[in-house]
Structures are given as C-alpha cells and as structure tokens.
Amino acid sequence: MDRVLRAGDGDWNGDAEELQRLGAILDSQPEALDGQTVGVFLAEALLRVRMRNGRLAPLKANAAQLRYEGKRGQRNIVLKARQMGMTSWVCGRMFLRTLTQPGTLTVQVAQTRESAESLFRMAQRFWENLPEALREGAARRGKANAGQMTFPQMDSEFRVVSAADEGVGRGLSIQNLHCSEVAHWPGNANETMAGLKAALAPSGELVMESTPNGATGCFYNEWLSAGVQGTVQHFLPWWLEPEYKAGEVEVASLSDEEQRLMREHGLSLRQIGYRRGLTAQFRGLAQQEY
C-alpha cells in the first residue's frame, strides 16, 4: 500500500498480482488509511482529472464525494446539484475497479452521444496519466476505440455508451454500471433502465445519478422506489461545494427561510448570498438545477 501512495513518484513495477491485491481490498477501510476507503487513496494517487481552470490535478475527493463514499452501497441513487464532481468520481472509482479486478466489465451510460464522448475522454485521461510502469505493464491497453478500451492482462473492459443507443446493455454481463444524468435520458428511459439492470451481475455495483428534472420520469420513479429495491439514496445539495459562495449578505435582510437554512445546514452569509443569486438567475428552475 505504501507503494500505491507513492505511485505519483513512479514507485511501481506494473505487476498484475499487485493490482489484483489492491482490487481485493478496494472498498475496505483499514485504520492505516485514517478511516478512508482504499479507493479514496488510490484515486488521488493514480488518477488525474481536468479541473475547471483547465489544469490536470489528482482526483482528490471533495466534500460531496466523501459523503457519498461514507454511505455508498451496492445499489445507489444520487440526487445532486450541478457541478458536484459525482460523475467524475464514479467514473474514476469504476475505472480503478476495471484495472484491479480481473474479469470486470464496466459500462457507463450517458444521456447523449456527446456526453458519452466526454465521459470516455475522461477515462482516456485516467489511463494516459497512470504511472508509466502501469501503462506498460498490467494496465496496458488492448483494443481501444470509440467508447471502449480493454485490458488483456486483467481480462477487463471499460465501455461508455449513450442511453440513446438502441438495445444498450443487451446481451452483456456487467459488473459495474454507472447511469449518468438519468433524469435527462431520451426516449423510453424506463425501458432502457430495465434492460441495463437485467444485464447487471447479482454482485455488481449500480450507481444512478442525476440532477433533477421534475417530479416525473425514470429517475424520479427510481428515487421513490429506492427503499423497496434496497437502493441507497444520496442527496448532495449545492452547499457542499465550497466554491458556491458570493458576497456576504446583511443579517437584518435574512428571511425566515434563510435563517432556517443557516440553522439546519450551517450555511454562511456568503452562501445565502450565492443562493439569492441562483434564485435571481434561474428563478423557478433554481431548485431543480441546484
């Protein structure tokens, strides 16, 4: 494990057995890692993402991602505000599973083909920025084309598809299934989701995540039926993102609702200022988008 934490310094021999040992403990929480999952440490040590400023940086878990990790189960549904980093986080976790657990098929389903291309570029970036010993060793790619890459030494495969694709998921046996922005899927989203769930292996991991899109549709139905289906619900509001702040408002100007939010959720006067800006900009859509 110490070598994993030093992976950014190139201290890795690219050995497949070492990757498999990591895969076996990927979701554990040993005290040696300060109570955090191995996956949190591996993501920061091995994976790189493009930040909002355009620079590459380690995939270091933010507050929303850590909250998700602390509650994550085998089946998950995530109701989130915009720009919380959950799509990147789930993509990264499942990419690590694909690299470290032999025989794994990971499928990510985006709402459009353009979104699928963007997700696959993210996965490509993960691979391109791995330590060289890994890229040339156990994580060497085999077939890599539009939306698909394979890792022959691990007998694993990573795919990104669109919910608009006909028959998506049919005929597959999926170990990791990530359904992104489900509330915005085109066509018969309920039928698409049913086909994908049928393709998920009994021990497979499912993550459905989305910003909301009204009190109707596939994602809304999945959220309401989460308890019956044994799905863990995750609510990630906008105030978990530290950059969502504006100018500090006057205490005397606070409404009863704003005072309640400050009491119940610990919001600051700058966060209340940001909330007022959202309301002014998005009006009736502010609650849906954030």
Side-chain angles (χ1 to χ4, degrees):
M1 181 57 64
D2 288 342
R3 291 172 59 193
V4 176
L5 302 181
R6 297 196 304 270
D9 299 325
D11 187 11
W12 194 297
N13 63 12
D15 183 76
E17 291 185 2
E18 189 170 60
L19 275 184
Q20 291 183 46
R21 285 196 295 271
L22 290 173
I25 62 171
L26 190 59
D27 296 323
S28 63
Q29 294 182 288
E31 292 182 4
L33 295 181
D34 299 324
Q36 300 293 349
T37 63
V38 175
V40 169
F41 281 82
L42 281 177
E44 185 173 354
L46 297 178
L47 303 181
R48 299 294 178 267
V49 291
R50 185 78 65 190
M51 305 298 287
R52 294 175 189 172
N53 60 13
R55 297 178 181 176
L56 282 177
L59 181 55
K60 182 177 176 62
N62 63 25
Q65 294 158 352
L66 286 173
R67 176 181 287 197
Y68 170 78
E69 279 296 300
K71 191 180 174 184
R72 174 177 50 80
Q74 183 179 346
R75 301 169 65 93
N76 305 273
I77 185 165
V78 184
L79 177 61
K80 61 180 188 176
R82 297 179 61 176
Q83 302 293 317
M84 303 297 288
M86 278 308 303
T87 300
S88 300
W89 184 255
V90 176
C91 181
R93 280 197 69 260
M94 291 189 172
F95 182 82
L96 286 174
R97 282 172 166 265
T98 310
L99 283 186
T100 62
Q101 298 176 353
T104 295
L105 171 59
T106 293
V107 175
Q108 291 195 288
V109 187
Q111 72 269 35
T112 64
R113 290 183 177 87
E114 291 79 8
S115 298
E117 291 170 3
S118 179
L119 266 178
F120 191 67
R121 283 196 298 272
M122 184 186 301
Q124 291 267 44
R125 194 175 296 116
F126 288 152
W127 183 84
E128 290 166 358
N129 289 279
L130 288 173
E132 183 178 1
L134 269 178
R135 283 186 285 108
E136 298 299 325
R140 179 187 287 272
R141 289 192 305 190
K143 180 168 59 175
N145 52 34
Q148 180 185 21
M149 63 177 97
T150 62
F151 304 99
Q153 287 202 44
M154 303 301 288
D155 190 25
S156 293
E157 181 180 344
F158 190 97
R159 294 189 190 183
V160 182
V161 298
S162 165
D165 295 341
E166 186 176 353
V168 60
R170 300 287 181 181
L172 301 178
S173 180
I174 302 170
Q175 282 69 49
N176 300 306
L177 177 59
H178 174 199
C179 300
S180 180
E181 291 297 344
V182 177
H184 305 275
W185 280 10
N188 190 334
N190 288 306
E191 182 177 324
T192 301
M193 181 63 74
L196 287 164
K197 284 183 175 180
L200 185 66
S203 60
E205 181 174 324
L206 169 65
V207 181
M208 300 172 284
E209 47 92 353
S210 187
T211 51
N213 190 25
T216 186
C218 177
F219 187 76
Y220 180 73
N221 294 334
E222 291 287 347
W223 182 269
L224 291 183
S225 63
V228 177
Q229 298 190 56
T231 304
V232 179
Q233 291 178 318
H234 305 263
F235 173 56
L236 304 177
W238 62 267
W239 54 80
L240 292 177
E241 170 51 58
E243 293 187 13
Y244 286 166
K245 295 176 183 177
E248 192 170 292
V249 303
E250 295 289 339
V251 174
S253 70
L254 293 172
S255 67
D256 290 343
E257 183 183 17
E258 290 169 340
Q259 293 180 50
R260 179 184 60 79
L261 287 172
M262 293 182 72
R263 286 194 308 271
E264 295 181 1
H265 303 289
L267 270 62
S268 69
L269 293 172
R270 292 185 63 194
Q271 287 174 310
I272 294 297
Y274 182 83
R275 181 177 183 270
R276 289 182 181 181
L278 288 179
T279 302
Q281 180 178 356
F282 291 96
R283 298 185 184 277
L285 293 175
Q287 187 172 4
Q288 172 179 303
E289 296 298 319
Y290 287 87

